[in-house]
Amino acid sequence: MTQAKENQMMMYKGKPLVRSGNTIYYGSMADRYVTLLQVLSTNEFHGIQMASKVSVQLLSTDPNHGPKERIVKKTEKNGLYNALNIANIWLMRYLEQ
C-alpha cells in the first residue's frame, strides 16, 4: 500500500468516517455538528461480525457546551446502514441551518 493510500480518510456521502473499536464518528469536527455511532450488539453472518444494534447521536461540536448539552438528538437503529442513513439525514438538516 502506498503512503498516499494509507493517509486517505474513509468517506461516506462526502463526509469523513473515523472508527475506533465499536465507536464511529461521522462528519467533520470543523462543522457545527457531528454524529457518533456506537455499535451496541453484533450478529455473525457467514463468519463476519455485523452490527445489529447501533446507537446514533447528533452532537454539537461547540466547546462551550458540556458533554450532556452537546447531545442534540439520539436514537437506536438496526444495522449500520440504517444508522449511517439517519446520521447523514440529521447532519444534512442541521448543517443547513
Side-chain angles (χ1 to χ4, degrees):
M1 195 177 289
T2 66
Q3 184 68 19
K5 187 90 168 163
E6 289 175 4
N7 291 333
Q8 288 181 348
M9 187 170 286
M10 194 165 22
M11 304 289 278
Y12 177 74
K13 295 190 177 186
K15 298 278 184 205
L17 277 170
V18 178
R19 177 180 175 253
S20 176
N22 286 338
T23 302
I24 302 168
Y25 282 94
Y26 173 57
S28 172
M29 292 303 282
D31 290 338
R32 292 180 302 148
Y33 299 96
V34 66
T35 56
L36 168 65
L37 294 85
Q38 292 181 304
V39 177
L40 303 175
S41 63
T42 60
N43 288 333
E44 189 170 325
F45 182 74
H46 295 289
I48 299 172
Q49 290 296 316
M50 305 283 288
S52 57
K53 181 72 74 180
V54 182
S55 167
V56 182
Q57 295 180 2
L58 178 68
L59 304 174
S60 168
T61 57
D62 186 343
N64 297 320
H65 292 1
K68 291 195 182 230
E69 295 171 320
R70 288 184 184 190
I71 300 171
V72 178
K73 295 182 98 163
K74 62 182 177 178
T75 190
E76 285 186 8
K77 293 293 179 185
N78 293 321
L80 187 57
Y81 176 79
N82 292 329
L84 277 171
N85 192 36
I86 194 67
N88 183 60
I89 290 168
W90 286 353
L91 272 181
M92 294 301 105
R93 285 182 183 168
Y94 276 78
L95 291 176
E96 286 177 356
Q97 296 178 359

